Amino acid sequence: MSAIEVNFDGLVGPTHNYGGLAQGNLAAAANEGKVSNPREAALQGLSKMRTLMRMGLTQGVLPPHERPHVSSLRKMGFGGSDADVIHAAFKASPVLLANVASASAMWTANAATVSPSADTGDGRVHLTPANLSSHFHRALEAETTAQVLSAIFADPAKFVVHPAVPFGTFGDEGAANHCRLAATHGERGVEIFVYGRSAFAKSSGDRFSGRQAMEASHIVATQHQLWTGGGAALVQQGQAAIDAGAFHNDVVAVSNGNVLMFHSGAFQQKSNAVEGLKRACDAKGFEPVFLEAGEDELTLDEAVKSYLFNSQIVSLPAGGMALILPHEAEETPRAKAFVDRVLATNGPIREAHYLDLRQSMRNGGGPACLRLRVVLTESELAGLGARAVVDEARIVALEEIVRRRYRDRLALADLADPTLLAESRTALDEFGQVLGLGAVHDFQRV
Ligand code: SUG
């Protein structure tokens, strides 16, 4: 069956800020408290989408979530008007307000895990929203993500949106820890679930602990009906990579089609992992291409600093693949040298595009973090329930809303400003009209 990949990018929300909330994420920690520019952040993201569309690719958008999330604060006992709730939460704990005001839903690689219909037992596309239980500010995303995905992937004959993994102990960070190898998008592939630890592991004295629990990966692979025919592999993330700041596997590995590009420290028992993947691909009748950077070519620290592996690899309509990288990769000499080596091999990757995503990068979010990949057949694409797939006119409309409604500077204390909430809700309503999503936010349902 022929199929294409649609990237659903997260539109950066009006409260994009540097709260320093993310454990194991060195960029977010380094930029804590800096003044952000939400307008520039959203425009950088939209510009990335336009770049991919101009390459002939199909592009989707997932909207920002309502922030500050007033209804979460109400659940904690804060009362009065929305302005009273925000003010009281800020007074009680600025860090609490920063958590409920985070625009982290922009990183849609963490929104869900998605299995194409070619891989699943019942021939439908399966989606599991990530519970993101390792962090409070991210766990708040799961409910709205489920609403949004259910609105877009609404046809039950083609799609199934599962509930998030129910037990918070089993942390699930979605597609950021999920790769897929396949001869082409539309053929049955091998889905690789990369976990950081078992939920039951005793604390080990490591610098950072893995966010993805093995048990969560297993639950997702099982509910997506992948095991029959060896369609899923569980692989452990390298602890050295986690300790170096690869809080998600997509900081050190990325796949597309039959290509897996990775750092040699990405997987805990690298040789076994690579051999196992090779055998699984052989059994499906195709040969994988492994593009590996060894520690001598590029250290883990350089991989994390440059976000080389947080690139997108995309299949071009005319054949061949392209790399979409952040400027930081171009500015890190040995990362750039690796890209040049890959391009010089005359392998499947033929082009490299370096983009400015600095606002998101300062929070540890590169090109691959900003998108959720969904492989769809022609009939599945036609069956999407909402106008979440964008064209140039919709990108222009979204940009206009961003220019009109977003601030160009936001300090942490500004999160307590009740007019920020009003501005954000107006922008979210306007995005909803462009994307045709209906009432997916709490404030739209009251
Ligand atoms: O979960 N940063 C996100 C970045 C997520 C990147 N996604 C992928 N690698 N796929 C995180 O660490 C920072 C927010 C703050 O600190 O204010 C944050 O949540």
Side-chain angles (χ1 to χ4, degrees), residues 17-23 25 28-29 98 102 104 107 109-110 132 135 137-138 173 175-176 211 247-248 250-251 307 310 363-366 368-370:
N17 72 85
Y18 299 118
L21 306 174
Q23 186 252 357
N25 176 338
S102 174
S104 55
W107 299 296
N110 305 116
L132 291 170
H135 286 73
H137 71 290
R138 303 230 54 189
E173 303 269 323
R211 298 189 192 182
F247 52 96
H248 291 133
D250 68 4
V251 176
Y307 260 42
N310 200 259
N363 255 337
C369 302
L370 285 160

Side-chain angles (χ1 to χ4, degrees), residues 23-24 26 204-210 239-245 301:
Q23 186 252 357
L26 304 182
S204 54
D206 295 316
R207 183 179 180 207
F208 299 124
S209 83
Q239 186 57 46
I242 297 174
D243 284 342
D301 290 343

Side-chain angles (χ1 to χ4, degrees), residues 39 397-407 423 426-427 430:
R39 187 189 301 159
L398 295 172
E399 283 173 340
E400 274 169 14
I401 298 166
V402 168
R403 288 207 179 90
R404 199 166 51 237
R405 304 290 177 203
Y406 279 42
R407 299 187 182 191
E423 290 160 20
T426 305
E430 291 174 355

Side-chain angles (χ1 to χ4, degrees), residues 251-315:
V251 176
V252 281
V254 55
S255 68
N256 181 59
N258 64 341
V259 174
L260 182 66
M261 190 172 104
F262 63 101
H263 190 275
S264 59
F267 307 115
Q268 187 65 11
Q269 293 187 317
K270 189 207 67 184
S271 308
N272 287 351
V274 168
E275 275 313 308
L277 293 177
K278 212 177 263 169
R279 275 197 303 279
C281 295
D282 280 351
K284 303 259 169 316
F286 69 95
E287 212 177 310
V289 174
F290 294 117
L291 302 173
E292 178 178 349
E295 185 70 18
D296 52 347
E297 187 173 11
L298 185 82
T299 63
L300 272 171
D301 290 343
E302 287 169 312
V304 171
K305 186 170 150 264
S306 66
Y307 260 42
L308 163 66
F309 298 99
N310 200 259
S311 52
Q312 290 177 244
I313 312 178
V314 291
S315 297

Side-chain angles (χ1 to χ4, degrees), residues 111-141:
T113 306
V114 185
S115 296
S117 53
D119 296 350
T120 63
D122 64 1
R124 293 187 291 171
V125 179
H126 285 243
L127 303 97
T128 298
N131 66 22
L132 291 170
S133 63
S134 71
H135 286 73
F136 173 60
H137 71 290
R138 303 230 54 189
L140 295 174
E141 296 166 37

Side-chain angles (χ1 to χ4, degrees), residues 289-370:
V289 174
F290 294 117
L291 302 173
E292 178 178 349
E295 185 70 18
D296 52 347
E297 187 173 11
L298 185 82
T299 63
L300 272 171
D301 290 343
E302 287 169 312
V304 171
K305 186 170 150 264
S306 66
Y307 260 42
L308 163 66
F309 298 99
N310 200 259
S311 52
Q312 290 177 244
I313 312 178
V314 291
S315 297
L316 299 168
M321 300 183 189
L323 273 173
I324 312 295
L325 303 122
H327 271 321
E328 286 77 352
E330 193 175 24
E331 292 160 359
T332 308
R334 299 213 303 168
K336 170 78 166 50
F338 176 83
V339 174
D340 291 343
R341 171 168 83 74
V342 165
L343 294 175
T345 56
N346 285 325
I349 300 183
R350 315 235 171 107
E351 300 173 10
H353 302 262
Y354 296 94
L355 307 184
D356 181 359
L357 293 163
R358 290 188 204 280
Q359 284 288 328
S360 170
M361 284 286 289
R362 286 186 196 127
N363 255 337
C369 302
L370 285 160

Side-chain angles (χ1 to χ4, degrees), residues 114-127 153-162 191 223-226 375-377 380:
V114 185
S115 296
S117 53
D119 296 350
T120 63
D122 64 1
R124 293 187 291 171
V125 179
H126 285 243
L127 303 97
F153 301 94
D155 179 353
K158 294 186 168 68
F159 309 111
V160 44
V161 181
H162 295 277
E191 297 199 18
Q223 66 188 14
H224 288 199
Q225 305 178 17
L226 299 176
V375 168
L376 297 170
T377 64
E380 288 159 358

